[in-house]
Amino acid sequence: MSKIKYTFADGTTSEIEVTDEVYALHLQLQQEEKRNHWRETRRHISLYYLLENGVDFTDNAADSFTAVELRENDERIKKAITKLLPEQQALIKKIFYEGKTITEIAKAENVGKSAIANRLTRIYIKIKKFLN
């Protein structure tokens, strides 16, 4: 016969006398509980540590599909842009690659903002046709 010491939530303890089989099972459960606690604690501490240091975890399965889809869309758009007139390609380059505003482009070309906006509208319509 062996004794198991039990501590209650209020801090009081009690000893219970059990058979050797029950005591062996109790020890086995305690070891398993310690291992599980260690695994959980180790995992959480390392994740928190990484998150605090700027490491972001992403779902690669979802990102892979999104990345392929974005790459395909980029290729289609680039192909459509190559079908535009050189002046239209230059305007697209100024807006999307050089980051210029419609106002800046209009001032540089001595035209109104509406002229540049109208050109862009026609370009977008053409690109949309090429994409379909």
Side-chain angles (χ1 to χ4, degrees):
M1 298 292 274
S2 300
K3 291 185 178 184
I4 297 175
K5 186 177 179 182
Y6 182 79
T7 304
F8 294 93
D10 64 359
T12 59
T13 60
S14 178
E15 284 190 5
I16 304 169
E17 193 169 318
V18 294
T19 63
D20 291 336
E21 292 172 1
V22 172
Y23 186 73
L25 182 61
H26 170 72
L27 288 178
Q28 185 179 5
L29 289 172
Q30 271 187 326
Q31 288 175 337
E32 185 64 30
E33 186 177 338
K34 284 180 183 179
R35 275 193 296 265
N36 287 340
H37 178 72
W38 178 80
R39 281 188 207 116
E40 283 296 309
T41 304
R42 187 177 124 229
R43 183 172 62 91
H44 290 295
I45 290 172
S46 63
L47 289 177
Y48 289 137
Y49 175 78
L50 292 172
L51 288 171
E52 288 172 1
N53 289 298
V55 176
D56 188 22
F57 297 95
T58 56
D59 183 4
N60 291 333
D63 286 345
S64 297
F65 177 74
T66 304
V68 168
E69 189 175 33
L70 288 174
R71 195 174 331 118
E72 287 175 356
N73 285 340
D74 285 349
E75 290 170 9
R76 291 177 56 220
I77 291 169
K78 286 178 184 177
K79 190 175 181 179
I81 290 172
T82 61
K83 295 178 182 179
L84 296 173
L85 298 172
E87 306 85 38
Q88 293 172 327
Q89 290 179 17
L91 183 57
I92 292 290
K93 183 180 177 186
K94 288 176 187 175
I95 299 245
F96 292 101
Y97 295 101
E98 296 173 9
K100 293 187 178 180
T101 64
I102 292 175
T103 306
E104 292 171 338
I105 297 168
K107 283 182 183 178
E109 295 184 12
N110 290 326
V111 295
K113 292 190 293 184
S114 60
I116 302 299
N118 289 337
R119 288 183 204 168
L120 280 173
T121 302
R122 287 192 300 275
I123 291 170
Y124 295 153
I125 290 169
K126 269 188 166 181
I127 289 175
K128 191 173 179 179
K129 284 181 188 177
F130 294 143
L131 292 175
N132 290 332

